[in-house]
Amino acid sequence: MTASHETFTDKAAAAAVRSTPEPLAARVRGLSDRAIAWLFIAPTIVLLLAINIFPLFWAIYLSFTNFRANRPNAVVQNVGLGNYSRILNDPDIWASMQTTAHFVFWTIVLQTLIGFALAYLIDRKFRGHAFWTTLILIPMMLSPAVVGNFWRFLYEPQIGLFAYAVSFVSGIPTSDIQMLGNVHLAPWAIIIVDTWMWTPYVMLICLAGLRSIPDYIYEAAEVDRASPWRQFWSITVPMALPFIMLAVLFRGIENFKMFDMVNLLTGGGPGSTTEVASIALKRDAFEAWATGRSSAFAIVLFVAVFGLANIYVKALNKVKQR
């Protein structure tokens, strides 16, 4: 195995030497395997740094200035921590953060409960479980634009199927079922759509956790005459908990920065009822053109997500080590 690996490496190095000019070829001959590997991955690393790291540092710089994107030729002044002070003392910003927290909490609760329940049922491997698994995964495969427009049509009070279904069950006239126009119902309309779309993702992660539990543990529990309910709470839930927590982490991060679905369904309305943090950031940056202040807001959101994710990952590691 080692000889074949060395032969492949020698051939790759020789091919690289033949395709390079003579002065460069002389230098390539003396490169080690590690140096050649770095030579190949260096362009990708540089590209990733340019795409991810540079915009972050640029946003940090802008957050300390009064820069406005619609006035690129205006004099840029350093305002220190002024933008951060305005962000942290703005009641509208805190209202959008509360809306975001409400959205994140309920979507995670619903997606985790429904996703784990579906994973538990599919793990039973009943007849036709492969077909039902594929059917459940369809919403996750759709584009957010398609899902947003599809559910916007369903929510229409006059012709939408959702309004007709609710009216059939409750007897409420369809004209009164304003899911996207009602202050109290609009947040739940978005929660329903996000849960419908991303519960399959949570189900897949939970299913991977359930499939990783060895069968002999259940067999030993049956020998000890443990009831199915006891097996569920003493074996299934504890051993699948790291996977459940991982799904919560992924969905929590994604839902904290949710933009497309809210923008497609309500645009932050009615009023500012569904104005999550990302919508407030977009309005500050591209409607008010307060680029410096919006950059500060973006950094605050980044620090909040990064800090909460770090704390959560530490808790996840403790659960894994048990």
Side-chain angles (χ1 to χ4, degrees), residues 39-121:
L39 189 65
F40 279 105
I41 66 175
T44 304
I45 293 176
V46 171
L47 183 62
L48 289 175
L49 289 175
I51 294 174
N52 296 321
I53 303 301
F54 172 74
L56 175 61
F57 283 104
W58 182 245
I60 293 174
Y61 163 72
L62 292 179
S63 68
F64 294 103
T65 67
N66 65 342
F67 179 75
R68 302 177 72 90
N70 62 336
R71 299 177 184 174
N73 298 323
V75 177
V76 178
Q77 295 178 349
N78 191 326
V79 296
L81 297 175
N83 288 328
Y84 290 94
S85 177
R86 292 181 62 183
I87 290 296
L88 297 177
N89 291 286
D90 190 340
D92 293 334
I93 295 298
W94 285 108
S96 69
M97 295 294 283
Q98 290 176 357
T99 303
T100 304
H102 176 270
F103 174 74
V104 171
F105 175 79
W106 284 110
T107 51
I108 286 179
V109 168
L110 292 174
Q111 290 173 25
T112 303
L113 292 177
I114 300 174
F116 183 77
L118 290 173
Y120 187 76
L121 291 175

Side-chain angles (χ1 to χ4, degrees), residues 130-163:
F131 167 77
W132 288 107
T133 302
T134 305
L135 191 66
I136 292 171
L137 292 178
I138 290 177
M140 188 182 71
M141 303 175 187
L142 300 176
S143 166
V146 174
V147 173
N149 287 298
F150 170 71
W151 275 91
R152 191 175 180 86
F153 173 76
L154 289 181
Y155 281 143
E156 283 292 330
Q158 301 299 329
I159 59 175
L161 295 178
F162 186 88

